[in-house]
Amino acid sequence: MPYRTAITVTPRNIDELRELGTAGCLVWDEGASWVLAVNGDKAPAPSRMIITGRNGLKHLARDLEDQGRPATDDELARDLTDIANDQLTDWPGIRAMNLQVQELREALIGPRIYLDAAPTFEIGAGGLPRMTDYYRRTHTGTTACVTVTFGYLEPTRITVCAPGDVPRPVAEVTVAAAGIFQAHQVHRLIAAAVNGALDLDL
């Protein structure tokens, strides 16, 4: 059931996100019901919904300018408020998947890798929930889009994108581990594959 609690992003939240630099993320904390900026190089708590990353703020500002609208903090906050409230529809599914990938996030995120954007969530044709996290390598800008299904029942897909205004997919790796390993081993295996993919010389 979609959440009814409205989310409001303020110009102050935009300012706080900028202050964190490249690895910052804007999140909505479900328990406190407020918006705050956090470091994307630390795994967010499963109860926090990522609204956007610092890179997403840059793209949103460019979109506003392309539409002939000034990319002021007020305009950015207004658009991110709409985006955040739209995300509430998928939040119950994302929150459940957040619990599954928390250990994976903790294994990956650190000084060299950070979460760069809000995850995307969908229900596959077979009814199996899947979620994609977006990990970016510090300095190189290489991104790994990591798509996992509920319980890792289908192979995890890792798509590597070269840096640029429009990320360009350059490689794809799959990791199949359902029923073979324990959960902590699955997370370590996927994390090793993502780390290796992000180390590609692009």
Side-chain angles (χ1 to χ4, degrees):
M1 184 170 111
Y3 279 66
R4 298 178 183 274
T5 304
I7 299 173
T8 301
V9 178
T10 67
R12 176 59 186 156
N13 295 141
I14 304 297
D15 193 44
E16 290 169 348
L17 178 58
R18 286 202 187 95
E19 287 175 1
L20 286 178
T22 304
C25 277
L26 202 62
V27 303
W28 171 70
D29 187 284
E30 181 183 32
S33 195
W34 65 40
V35 175
L36 67 157
V38 299
N39 283 313
D41 60 358
K42 294 181 176 62
S47 62
R48 288 181 172 177
M49 183 182 82
I50 300 172
I51 299 170
T52 189
R54 181 67 176 80
N55 202 43
L57 185 66
K58 180 180 71 174
H59 289 303
L60 180 57
R62 189 174 59 199
D63 289 344
L64 287 173
E65 290 168 354
D66 289 345
Q67 296 168 22
R69 296 165 58 192
T72 64
D73 286 358
D74 285 329
E75 287 293 316
L76 290 166
R78 188 175 294 113
D79 275 20
L80 285 172
T81 292
D82 291 341
I83 289 168
N85 283 285
D86 287 345
Q87 289 174 343
L88 281 177
T89 302
D90 287 334
W91 173 237
I94 291 173
R95 184 179 59 179
M97 294 297 289
N98 279 352
L99 291 168
Q100 174 178 310
V101 301
Q102 182 68 11
E103 191 174 335
L104 173 60
R105 286 174 171 175
E106 290 172 353
L108 278 169
I109 297 170
R112 298 178 63 211
I113 300 174
Y114 60 93
L115 281 173
D116 187 49
T120 53
F121 176 83
E122 62 180 326
I123 303 293
L128 200 59
R130 62 170 60 99
M131 187 174 79
T132 302
D133 265 336
Y134 302 89
Y135 297 92
R136 183 175 288 249
R137 173 74 78 192
T138 305
H139 303 307
T140 67
T142 304
T143 303
C145 309
V146 181
T147 303
V148 303
T149 55
F150 183 77
Y152 300 106
L153 295 177
E154 292 180 357
T156 295
R157 189 173 69 249
I158 303 164
T159 305
V160 185
C161 295
D165 285 341
V166 179
R168 178 173 52 89
V170 293
E172 187 167 289
V173 178
T174 58
V175 178
I180 304 173
F181 303 106
Q182 296 180 9
H184 71 279
Q185 294 172 314
V186 173
H187 295 144
R188 281 166 39 202
L189 181 62
I190 296 172
V194 174
N195 265 303
L198 286 172
D199 279 338
L200 290 172
D201 184 8
L202 304 178

